[in-house]
């Protein structure tokens, strides 16, 4: 135990002794570090003072240079300003000299003007005195002439004016007549040139349509299957399509008869599907006819779209496009209505371009001019008026609507497109081979129209024109008054309506003319 205590005491004493020796050594080292730091700080301070002195000298030098530079710039500005002031003073002196010279000139001009005014006043006084003398002489001469002629001055003046008026009127009438004749000749030449050029530039195939279609068969055995047991298949087809099917001795063919081309086409396509499929019975027939009818309707819309795209017509109402497509299955006097309308549209476009009008609008009017012929059911409204009503309903422009309604003169033309459409319609319909009609019956119908007109009293001449759609009657003015002319037009139209059979309408125009003829020798 005691040994342990002594050991601990020895350790404590050793530690204390070591700590004291360490403190003494640390103090000696610290004093050395402090001395070294003082010497280093003195060196740094000396270097800093030297560097500060050099920076100070540089800054002073830069400040002097900047001052010299600013001073030179300021001197330049002052010199420039002095120069401008000197130039301004020079211009002012020049202006002052110029103003003084102008003032002297104005004084001279004023003096000359005053002299001229005085001279003018003197001359005016002289002229006034001479005018008074002339007036006195004129009055005395007029009095002498009145005494000699026995007329007053006003009466003589009136006679002279009347004589000059008659002479001027005669000269004016002659000039107007010459101008009118020249304008007519030029207008006729230009119109013929435009029409001929238009017809030459448009060439389409002849479009003839019939009321029957021939359905070819691979063999006559198929005829029995089409007829069916006790004719039930053929009756089902006729009931579903509205087409009369004629099965005769014609080898490998049957005939489809119907005035409606759409129904004929539905029947033809339906028969083709039934014969190809081989299943022919009433239920199958009804199903195929419904599908074919839907297919035809889609094809009609597609035909209408292709037509308007080919002609470059845009913005047409979908219902009008459908009506245009249905034109493919309509005909007028045997002429396919769609081909006729396309041809009229092209003719209108060319003619409008020749006349400096809008060719796109003219094409639009030409294509739509016969849409009133498309309805399936008969109507008392003329097709031109019906077409105009449809065009108005579906948002067409007034010029197009008027061209549609006026192309057969049912309404008055108030647009330049209207006569163009009328002329192009006549060109397309009158082209040889365009429309099928027996010549003898056609001529006889025109002759009958004229004979009906000649059957009334006072009729001098009668002409059936526009393919028999208009009858123009010229009456004798001595026998038929204006009131009787109106009654005569009504009576002739009633007579035609009662005694004749004709397609469309016949317009009766009675013309009464009074002429005054004198001969200058």
């Amino acid at each position: 135990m005691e040994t342990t205590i002594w050991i601990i005491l020895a350790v404590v004493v050793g530690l204390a002794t070591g700590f004291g020796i360490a403190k003494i050594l640390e103090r000696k080292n610290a004093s050395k570090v402090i001395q070294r730091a003082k010497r280093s700080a003195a060196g740094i301070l000396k270097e800093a003072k030297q560097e500060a002195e050099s920076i100070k000298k540089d800054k002073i030098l830069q400040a002097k240079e900047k001052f010299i530079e600013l001073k030179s710039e300021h001197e330049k500005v002052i010199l420039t300003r002095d120069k401008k002031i000197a130039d301004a003073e020079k211009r002012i002196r020049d202006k002052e000299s110029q103003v003084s010279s102008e003032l002297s000139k104005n004084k001279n001009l004023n003096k000359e003007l005053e002299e001229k005014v005085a001279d003018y006043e003197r001359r005016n006084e002289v002229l006034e005195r001479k005018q008074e003398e002339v007036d006195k002489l004129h009055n005395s001469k007029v009095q002498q002439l009145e005494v000699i002629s026995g007329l007053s001055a006003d009466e003589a003046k009136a006679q002279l004016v009347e004589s000059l008026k008659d002479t001027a009127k005669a000269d004016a009438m002659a000039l107007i007549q010459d101008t009118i004749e020249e304008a007519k000749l030029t207008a006729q030449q230009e119109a013929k040139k435009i029409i001929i050029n238009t017809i030459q530039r448009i060439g389409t195939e002849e479009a003839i349509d019939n009321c029957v279609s021939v359905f070819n068969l691979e063999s006559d055995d198929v005829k029995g299957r089409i007829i069916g047991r006790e004719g039930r298949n053929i009756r089902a087809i006729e009931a579903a399509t509205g087409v009369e099917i004629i099965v005769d001795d014609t080898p490998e063919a049957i005939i489809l008869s119907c005035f409606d081309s759409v129904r004929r086409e539905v029947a033809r396509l339906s028969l083709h599907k039934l014969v190809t499929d081989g299943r022919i019975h009433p239920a199958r027939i009804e199903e195929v006819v419904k599908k074919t009818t839907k297919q035809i309707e889609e094809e009609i819309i597609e035909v209408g779209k292709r037509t308007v795209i080919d002609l470059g017509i845009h913005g047409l109402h979908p219902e009008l496009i459908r009506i245009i497509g249905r034109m493919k299955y309509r005909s007028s006097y045997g002429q396919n209505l769609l081909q006729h309308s396309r041809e009229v549209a092209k003719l209108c476009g060319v003619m409008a371009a020749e006349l400096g009008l809008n060719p796109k609008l003219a094409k639009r009017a030409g294509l739509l001019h016969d849409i009133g012929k498309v309805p399936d059911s008969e109507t008392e409204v003329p097709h031109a008026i019906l077409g105009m009503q449809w065009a108005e309903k579906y948002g067409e422009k007034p010029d197009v609507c008027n061209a549609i309604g006026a192309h057969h003169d049912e309404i008055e033309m108030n647009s330049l497109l209207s006569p163009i459409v009328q002329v192009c319609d006549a060109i397309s319909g009158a082209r040889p081979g365009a429309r099928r009609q027996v010549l003898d019956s056609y001529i006889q119908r025109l002759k009958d129209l004229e004979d009906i007109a000649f059957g009334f009293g006072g009729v001098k001449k009668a002409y059936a024109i526009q393919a028999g759609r208009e009858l123009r009657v010229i009456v004798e003015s001595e026998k038929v008054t204006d009131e009787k002319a109106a009654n005569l037009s009504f009576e002739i139209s009633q007579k035609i309506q009662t005694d004749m059979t004709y397609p469309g309408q016949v317009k009766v125009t009675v013309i009464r003319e009074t002429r005054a003829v004198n001969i200058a020798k």
Side-chain angles (χ1 to χ4, degrees):
M1 185 68 178
E2 291 180 357
T3 304
T4 305
I5 293 171
W6 281 109
I7 292 169
I8 293 169
L9 289 173
V11 170
V12 169
V13 171
L15 290 171
T17 304
F19 180 76
I21 293 169
K23 282 290 185 181
I24 294 169
L25 293 173
E26 184 180 358
R27 285 179 181 177
K28 287 182 180 181
N29 292 332
S31 61
K32 291 179 181 179
V33 170
I34 290 169
Q35 289 177 1
R36 287 197 299 269
K38 286 181 178 179
R39 287 194 297 271
S40 177
I44 292 170
L45 183 61
K46 184 178 179 180
E47 291 177 358
K49 287 180 178 180
Q50 292 175 356
E51 187 176 356
E53 287 294 332
S54 64
I55 291 171
K56 181 179 178 181
K57 291 178 181 180
D58 291 339
K59 293 295 183 181
I60 292 171
L61 182 62
Q62 290 177 4
K64 288 181 178 179
E65 290 176 354
K66 187 67 175 177
F67 175 76
I68 293 169
E69 183 180 353
L70 292 174
K71 184 179 178 181
S72 64
E73 290 180 358
H74 182 66
E75 289 176 352
K76 289 180 181 179
V77 171
I78 292 173
L79 290 174
T80 303
R81 188 181 300 170
D82 292 342
K83 184 178 180 181
K84 288 182 179 178
I85 292 171
D87 292 340
E89 290 177 350
K90 182 180 179 183
R91 287 197 298 271
I92 291 170
R93 288 194 296 272
D94 294 340
K95 288 287 184 182
E96 288 177 351
S97 62
Q98 185 178 358
V99 167
S100 61
S101 63
E102 291 291 336
L103 286 174
S104 62
K105 288 181 181 179
N106 287 334
K107 288 180 180 178
N108 295 330
L109 290 174
N110 286 333
K111 186 177 180 181
E112 292 177 359
L113 181 62
E114 290 174 357
E115 293 176 355
K116 289 182 179 179
V117 169
D119 183 55
Y120 171 76
E121 290 177 352
R122 290 193 298 272
R123 291 185 178 183
N124 194 23
E125 291 176 358
V126 174
L127 288 175
E128 287 178 355
R129 288 195 297 271
K130 290 185 177 179
Q131 184 65 36
E132 291 177 358
E133 294 176 358
V134 169
D135 291 339
K136 290 179 181 179
L137 290 173
H138 176 70
N139 291 331
S140 64
K141 294 293 183 181
V142 169
Q143 291 175 358
Q144 292 177 5
L145 289 173
E146 288 178 354
V147 172
I148 294 171
S149 62
L151 295 173
S152 65
D154 294 336
E155 292 174 349
K157 188 186 296 182
Q159 289 185 2
L160 179 61
V161 169
E162 190 66 28
S163 175
L164 292 174
K165 188 188 294 183
D166 292 340
T167 304
K169 187 183 293 184
D171 293 342
M173 289 300 293
L175 180 60
I176 290 171
Q177 189 65 28
D178 293 340
T179 305
I180 290 173
E181 292 297 329
E182 184 179 357
K184 284 181 178 179
L185 181 61
T186 306
Q188 289 178 358
Q189 290 175 351
E190 289 297 323
K192 288 177 181 178
K193 179 181 176 182
I194 291 173
I195 291 173
I196 291 171
N197 289 337
T198 303
I199 295 173
Q200 287 176 343
R201 291 172 62 181
I202 302 297
T204 60
E205 67 277 7
E206 296 178 358
I208 301 297
D209 200 3
N210 298 310
C211 291
V212 295
S213 297
V214 177
F215 182 73
N216 297 314
L217 303 172
E218 294 181 357
S219 66
D220 290 337
D221 297 337
V222 183
K223 288 184 179 180
R225 296 169 58 193
I226 292 174
I227 295 172
R229 183 182 300 174
E230 297 178 357
R232 65 174 186 173
N233 289 345
I234 197 170
R235 286 197 301 272
I237 295 172
E238 289 179 346
T241 61
V243 175
E244 182 182 0
I245 298 179
I246 303 171
V247 182
D248 54 13
D249 296 335
T250 306
E252 298 180 355
I254 61 176
I255 297 174
L256 310 177
S257 176
C258 180
F259 70 93
D260 191 337
S261 301
V262 177
R263 300 211 301 255
R264 277 207 321 275
E265 185 67 12
V266 170
R268 189 187 68 80
L269 292 177
S270 300
L271 275 175
H272 178 73
K273 291 179 180 179
L274 290 168
V275 171
T276 304
D277 183 53
R279 294 177 295 168
I280 305 176
H281 53 82
R284 177 65 177 166
I285 289 169
E286 291 181 0
E287 179 185 354
V288 170
V289 168
K290 286 182 181 178
K291 290 183 179 179
T292 306
T293 303
K294 185 177 180 181
Q295 177 186 344
I296 290 295
E297 287 296 328
E298 293 175 353
E299 183 183 347
I300 284 171
I301 295 173
E302 186 63 27
V303 168
K305 289 181 180 179
R306 285 202 305 268
T307 300
V308 297
I309 290 172
D310 290 344
L311 294 175
I313 297 172
H314 305 286
L316 212 59
H317 193 278
E319 187 62 26
L320 290 179
I321 292 176
R322 190 182 70 83
I323 292 171
I324 291 169
R326 290 186 69 86
M327 287 183 182
K328 179 181 178 182
Y329 302 101
R330 289 289 182 272
S331 61
S332 177
Y333 295 99
Q335 185 179 23
N336 183 271
L337 195 58
L338 180 60
Q339 294 294 334
H340 166 64
S341 298
R342 287 173 64 98
E343 184 177 6
V344 172
K346 292 178 181 178
L347 289 168
C348 289
V350 175
M351 194 171 291
E354 291 286 341
L355 295 173
L357 302 177
N358 188 343
K360 291 185 177 180
L361 205 62
K363 282 185 179 180
R364 200 182 192 97
L367 181 62
L368 299 176
H369 82 285
D370 267 349
I371 58 175
K373 292 183 178 180
V374 172
D376 297 325
S377 58
E378 292 292 333
T379 176
E380 295 182 358
V381 180
H383 76 272
I385 302 299
L386 182 60
M388 180 184 69
Q389 293 172 354
W390 281 1
E392 291 174 347
K393 178 181 177 182
Y394 297 121
E396 289 299 314
K397 293 184 178 180
D399 289 351
V400 175
C401 297
N402 181 258
I404 296 171
H407 78 276
H408 284 316
D409 292 325
E410 273 85 5
I411 63 172
E412 184 180 356
M413 296 182 182
N414 55 21
S415 167
L416 288 177
L417 291 181
S418 302
I420 291 177
V421 172
Q422 187 181 54
V423 169
C424 294
D425 180 42
I427 291 171
S428 176
R431 182 165 44 81
R435 295 184 174 182
R436 185 190 68 250
Q437 198 169 30
V438 179
L439 181 62
D440 294 337
S441 62
Y442 170 75
I443 295 175
Q444 185 61 39
R445 182 163 65 87
L446 298 185
K447 187 174 182 302
D448 292 342
L449 280 173
E450 295 177 356
D451 290 340
I452 287 176
F454 283 119
F456 290 84
V459 176
K460 185 178 179 181
K461 295 178 182 178
Y463 301 103
I465 61 175
Q466 290 193 6
R469 287 195 292 267
E470 182 177 354
L471 179 64
R472 291 191 180 177
V473 181
I474 301 174
V475 298
E476 298 177 5
S477 58
E478 297 83 5
K479 297 181 180 180
V480 180
T481 62
D482 289 341
E483 184 177 358
K484 288 183 179 180
N487 294 332
L488 182 62
S489 175
F490 175 78
E491 291 172 1
I492 293 175
S493 65
Q494 293 299 312
K495 183 72 172 175
I496 293 172
Q497 187 173 341
T498 304
D499 296 349
M500 292 189 63
T501 302
Y502 51 91
Q505 294 180 330
V506 177
K507 180 182 178 181
V508 179
T509 304
V510 175
I511 301 171
R512 179 180 180 272
E513 183 183 42
T514 302
R515 295 187 181 183
V517 180
N518 291 294
I519 299 173
K521 296 182 180 180

